[in-house]
Each structure stands twice: as C-alpha cells, then as structure tokens.
C-alpha cells in the first residue's frame, strides 16, 4: 500500500476513534447526569423529611400551647400549620414514588401523622369543651408522644434508606465519572497516536516528493548544463569549420582559379574555360559566405556592430527582405560571450523571418544601458501561431530547436528572451547583461524590468 493510502487510512481511523469516543463519552455523560439527578433526588427527599418534621414540631407546639393557655393565636397557628403538614407529607410520597420500600414506610408515617393530627384535634376540642380537664389532656399527650416516637422512628428509617441510596448513587456517579475520564483519555491518546502516524506518513510522502523534485531539478540543471555545453561545442565547431573553409578549401579554390586564369591567358577565347572560371568564382564566393555565416571573422576582429551590419546586408541581398538597422554609432566592444550571444540571436531571428513569417521587411534595433544590452528584431509577417507560442512560453517547446537554443543561450548568459506575436507581426527581444554571470531569477528580472 502506498504511503498516501496509509496516511489516509490512519487519518480515517483517527476520525473513527474520535467519533466513537465522542459517542461513548456522550452515553456516559447521559448516565452520569441521570446518576447526578438521583443524588439530587435523595437530597430532596431528605430535605422534605426535615421540613415535614419541622412542620410537625410547629403543629405539636401550637396544640400543646393552646391546651395549656387556650390562646386563640396558638389555635390559628395550629389551623395554618395543619394543611402545610399534609401538603409536605404528600410531597414526600411523591418523591419516593419510585421506591416500594420507602413507599411502605411513608404510608406508615402518613397513618401515624394522621393519628397524631386526630389526637391534636381531639385535645383542642377537649380544651374548648372542658378547659379544666387536665387528666384528659395528659392522656392525650402521652398517646401523642407515643405516636411521635413511632413517627420519628419511621422518619429515621426513611433517612437511613435514603443515605444508603445516596451512598450507592454517589459510588455509581463517581464510577461513571472515572469511566468518562478513562474513555476520553484513552481515545484522546489513540487519536493522538493515529494523527502522529498520519503526520509521519505524510512527512514521508512529502520527503519522497521533495527528493523526486530535487532529482527533477538536478536533471533539469544537468540538461541545461548539457545544452549550454552543446551550444559551446556548436560555436567552437562553427568557428573551426569556418576557419577550415576559409583557410583550406578557400585557398585551394583560389589556387585553382589562379591556375585557370593563367591557362586562359595562354588560350584566349575558350568559352568552356571561361564558364569554368565563372563557376569557380561563384564557388569561392559561396564558400566565403558559408564560412562567414558559420562564424564571421568580423565578430572576433571588430565586434558585434560591424558583424551585424555585414550579416544583415548579405541577408537582405540573399533573401530580398529589407532590413532597417538602428544601432548606436559608438557601441564599442562588448564581452566576447555577449557579442556571440547577440549575433546568434540576430541570426536565428532573421532566419525565422525569411523561413516562416513571409514578411518583406524587418527592423533590428540595439539599445544599450549601463548594465544591459537590448536587441529587438521585429517583422511584419503572419506571426507565430498562438498555440505554438503558448507551448513555448509554458513548456519551453517550439516547432524547432532554434528558439529553444536561443532561449538557453540567453539564459546561460543571465539574460531574458521575450517573444510577442500577433497577426500583424512578431517582436523578439533579447536582453543581456554587459557582464554575463549567473542566470537571473524571475524576481530579479521582474524588478529590473519594472525599474
């Protein structure tokens, strides 16, 4: 399985683990909330029992005080406390409705409480009918105390039951809380581990991609270096062939012509000999032209200015294309590599005009500055097809090797090649530094053009 697939699998596993952990945590938290609700319910039951006990004490105090003093105020307190006791008793019954054992105790407490209330009411009625019947009040009080002790015992049993339930519920709540913490910790650790694996796999893939890109860049640099070397070898071979044509074949042809001239003087009127001498003159001229086109001697001896003028003049005579040359009069000499680069760019540009553009005229302009030299070659032909020019700009490809070789030569000298073409013609602009060095980056070129 590829590193990318492994990384995707690790990421998907981490997401699944997080989702499962979220589901488990959600279920556990719901149960924890339920447990917390039960704990709160226990505290609520205990609170209601305490309020019921307090209300019964108030009711008992009001009855006792009234049976002793007969004060109407205490009777009003008794009458107002009685519905509160019954209401609180019903609230306790409601709260313990889910516990059968507590229900039984609550029913027992309700019976005792109602019995006590009936004794209180009987005591109050006795006070009203026979205020001096102390013995009857004492008997009722004794019986009420017995019922009070029994009711207190029942309440205590209910409290103990709630305390036991509270203990169980607290343990359950703590256990669920610990379980939640463990689930979150384990799933978080697993998710971190899976994300770490995902990160390592992605890092491995990125490292492999960087190595591949580095290898591609190294291959591209090697290719460019090879192209540069091939251009240098090509220039050297052209110079060598030019010298051989001029010094060897040219001299042989010149010697043959001299011999034929001498022979023609001894045999005047020989038409075949005259035709041969004329053909030999053409051969010598063509040999000299080919030699100079391969590598013009003027380029090494005088410089680019004279070589360009000579070349464009010959080009116009051979092709019939009228060329207008705009060049500074005081150009002077440029570095040898710059002059050679400019000449080859000029040579390739005007050759393309003759071969492809079908233009009858062209303009060649050379501009100089302190740091750079700009050569512009413009024609008024049919232009380069848009798809071909787009392919050259994006992929560095063209229909031939001329433009590609020109671009590599210009790049090797640290310059820039710009081609603009439309239906009204084509403009080729070559910018070279006066001191060729390392190739300029795109940012450096853009900054220089902007300035």
């Amino acid at each position: 399985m590829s590193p990318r697939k492994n990384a995707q699998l690790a990421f998907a596993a981490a997401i699944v683990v997080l989702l499962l952990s979220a589901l488990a945590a959600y279920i556990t938290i719901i149960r924890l909330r339920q447990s917390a609700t039960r704990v709160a319910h226990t505290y609520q039951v205990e609170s209601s029992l305490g309020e019921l006990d307090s209300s019964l004490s108030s009711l008992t105090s009001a009855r006792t005080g009234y049976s002793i003093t007969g004060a109407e105020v205490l009777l009003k307190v008794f009458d107002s406390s009685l519905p509160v006791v019954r209401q609180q008793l019903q609230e306790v019954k409601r709260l313990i409705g889910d516990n059968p054992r507590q229900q039984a105790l609550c029913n027992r407490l309700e019976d005792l409480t109602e019995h006590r209330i009936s004794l209180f009411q009987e005591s109050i009625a006795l006070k009203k009918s026979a205020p001096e019947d102390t013995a009857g009040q004492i008997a009722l009080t004794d019986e009420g105390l017995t019922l009070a002790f029994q009711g207190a015992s029942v309440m205590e049993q209910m409290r103990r039951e709630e305390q036991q339930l509270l203990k169980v519920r607290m343990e359950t709540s703590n256990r669920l809380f610990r379980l939640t913490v463990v689930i979150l910790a384990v799933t978080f650790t697993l998710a971190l581990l899976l994300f770490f694996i995902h990160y390592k796999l992605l890092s491995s893939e990125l490292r492999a991609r960087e190595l591949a890109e580095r290898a591609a860049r190294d291959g591209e640099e090697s290719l460019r270096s090879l192209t540069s070397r091939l251009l240098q070898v090509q220039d050297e071979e052209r110079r060598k062939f030019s010298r051989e044509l001029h010094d060897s074949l040219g001299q042989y042809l010149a010697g043959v012509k001299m011999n034929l001239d001498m022979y023609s003087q001894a045999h005047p009127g020989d038409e075949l000999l005259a035709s041969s001498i004329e053909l030999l003159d053409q051969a010598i001229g063509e040999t000299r032209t080919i030699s100079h086109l391969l590598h013009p001697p003027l380029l090494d001896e005088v410089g680019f200015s004279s070589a360009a003028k000579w070349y464009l003049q010959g080009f116009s005579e051979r092709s019939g294309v009228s060329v207008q040359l705009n060049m500074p009069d005081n150009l002077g000499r440029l570095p040898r590599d710059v002059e050679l680069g400019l000449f080859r760019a000029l040579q390739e540009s005007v050759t393309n005009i003759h071969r492809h553009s079908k233009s009858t005229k062209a303009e060649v302009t050379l501009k100089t500055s302190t740091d750079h030299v700009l050569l512009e070659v413009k024609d008024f032909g049919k232009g380069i097809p848009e798809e071909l020019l787009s392919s050259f700009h994006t992929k560095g490809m063209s229909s031939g090797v001329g433009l590609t070789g020109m671009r590599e030569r210009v790049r090797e000298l640290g310059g820039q090649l710009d081609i603009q073409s439309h239906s009204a013609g084509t403009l080729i602009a070559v910018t070279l530094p006066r001191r060729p060095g390392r190739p300029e980056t795109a940012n450096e070129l853009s900054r220089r053009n902007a300035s």
Side-chain angles (χ1 to χ4, degrees), residues 16 39 93 125-126 148 177 208 255 260 265 270 394 402 417 437 441:
V16 171
V39 171
K93 289 182 67 176
L126 180 62
F177 177 77
L260 290 178
Q265 292 176 3
D270 190 339
T394 56
L417 172 64
T441 64

Side-chain angles (χ1 to χ4, degrees), residues 235 348 409:
D235 290 333
E348 181 63 33
R409 187 187 296 274

Side-chain angles (χ1 to χ4, degrees), residues 305-344:
S305 178
S306 298
K309 291 176 182 178
W310 167 84
Y311 176 75
L312 291 176
Q313 181 181 357
F315 171 78
S316 295
E317 294 174 355
R318 292 188 301 273
S319 64
V321 178
S322 175
V323 181
Q324 179 182 348
L325 176 61
N326 302 310
M327 186 181 300
D329 296 332
N330 56 345
L331 177 62
R333 294 302 302 267
L334 297 171
R336 179 173 176 270
D337 292 342
V338 174
E339 289 185 333
L340 181 59
L342 289 173
F343 185 81
R344 293 305 182 198

Side-chain angles (χ1 to χ4, degrees), residues 135-151:
Q137 293 291 346
I138 292 174
L140 292 172
T141 300
D142 291 340
E143 188 176 355
L145 286 174
T146 301
L147 294 174
F149 288 141
Q150 293 177 359

Side-chain angles (χ1 to χ4, degrees), residues 53 89 193 231 258 266 279 293 314 377 420 438:
D53 193 15
L89 185 61
L193 179 61
L231 291 174
M258 290 176 61
L279 291 175
L293 288 177
V377 180
Q420 300 177 11
R438 65 171 179 83

Side-chain angles (χ1 to χ4, degrees), residues 45 52-53 89 218 223 273 306 309:
V45 171
L52 176 60
D53 193 15
L89 185 61
D218 292 342
L223 181 59
L273 182 60
S306 298
K309 291 176 182 178

Side-chain angles (χ1 to χ4, degrees), residues 16-286:
V16 171
V17 169
L18 286 178
L19 292 176
L20 291 177
S21 66
L23 179 61
Y26 173 77
I27 295 174
T28 307
I29 289 173
I30 293 298
R31 294 179 62 188
L32 183 61
R33 288 185 59 184
Q34 293 174 351
S35 178
T37 303
R38 295 190 187 99
V39 171
H41 180 269
T42 299
Y43 284 119
Q44 193 174 2
V45 171
E46 290 184 344
S47 175
S48 297
L49 288 173
E51 292 176 357
L52 176 60
D53 193 15
S54 177
S55 298
L56 283 173
S57 298
S58 298
L59 189 67
T60 302
S61 298
R63 170 262 167 189
T64 303
Y66 179 76
S67 64
I68 296 174
T69 63
E72 292 296 329
V73 175
L74 295 175
L75 182 59
K76 291 180 179 180
V77 172
F78 179 86
D79 292 337
S80 61
S81 298
L82 182 59
V84 174
V85 170
R86 286 174 173 165
Q87 182 180 358
Q88 290 175 347
L89 185 61
Q90 294 301 316
E91 177 66 15
V92 172
K93 289 182 67 176
R94 185 187 67 81
L95 291 175
I96 52 87
D98 58 342
N99 191 331
R101 184 172 178 180
Q102 287 287 68
Q103 285 181 353
L105 291 173
C106 188
N107 291 333
R108 173 63 177 161
L109 178 62
E110 184 180 19
D111 293 340
L112 293 173
T113 302
E114 289 296 332
H115 195 179
R116 289 181 66 188
I117 291 173
S118 63
L119 289 177
F120 293 160
Q121 291 173 341
E122 186 178 349
S123 174
I124 291 171
L126 180 62
K127 182 64 177 179
K128 290 179 179 180
S129 59
E132 302 300 331
D133 189 358
T134 306
Q137 293 291 346
I138 292 174
L140 292 172
T141 300
D142 291 340
E143 188 176 355
L145 286 174
T146 301
L147 294 174
F149 288 141
Q150 293 177 359
S153 176
V154 172
M155 281 191 177
E156 183 61 26
Q157 292 181 38
M158 294 181 70
R159 287 191 177 95
R160 284 198 300 268
E161 181 68 20
E162 290 298 326
Q163 286 295 325
Q164 291 178 359
L165 290 174
L166 178 62
K167 183 178 179 181
V168 172
R169 290 169 178 173
M170 286 295 294
E171 290 178 354
T172 303
S173 178
N174 292 333
R175 185 171 63 255
L176 290 174
F177 177 77
R178 289 192 297 268
L179 180 61
T180 303
V181 172
V182 170
I183 290 175
L184 292 177
V186 171
T187 53
F188 183 74
T189 303
L190 288 176
L192 281 181
L193 179 61
L194 291 172
F195 278 123
F196 177 74
I197 294 174
H198 174 69
Y199 167 76
K200 294 296 289 183
L201 292 173
L202 282 183
S203 299
S204 176
E205 182 182 357
L206 290 175
R207 192 178 302 110
R209 183 176 300 177
E210 289 175 356
L211 291 176
E213 291 176 354
R214 187 179 305 168
R217 288 195 300 268
D218 292 342
E220 184 179 356
E221 291 296 327
S222 299
L223 181 59
R224 287 178 175 173
S225 177
L226 178 60
T227 303
S228 174
R229 179 57 184 162
L230 288 176
L231 291 174
Q232 293 177 3
V233 171
Q234 184 183 59
D235 290 333
E236 293 297 329
E237 289 297 321
R238 285 181 174 182
R239 185 180 288 107
K240 179 181 177 181
F241 290 155
S242 174
R243 188 182 303 112
E244 290 293 331
L245 285 174
H246 182 272
D247 296 342
S248 180
L249 181 60
Q251 296 301 321
Y252 294 151
L253 291 176
V256 172
K257 184 178 182 303
M258 290 176 61
N259 291 337
L260 290 178
D261 286 339
M262 292 175 62
Y263 187 79
S264 66
Q265 292 176 3
H267 301 81
D270 190 339
E271 294 182 0
L272 182 60
L273 182 60
S275 176
S276 298
I277 293 175
E278 183 180 356
L279 291 175
L280 188 58
D281 284 336
Q282 293 178 2
I284 292 174
E286 288 295 327

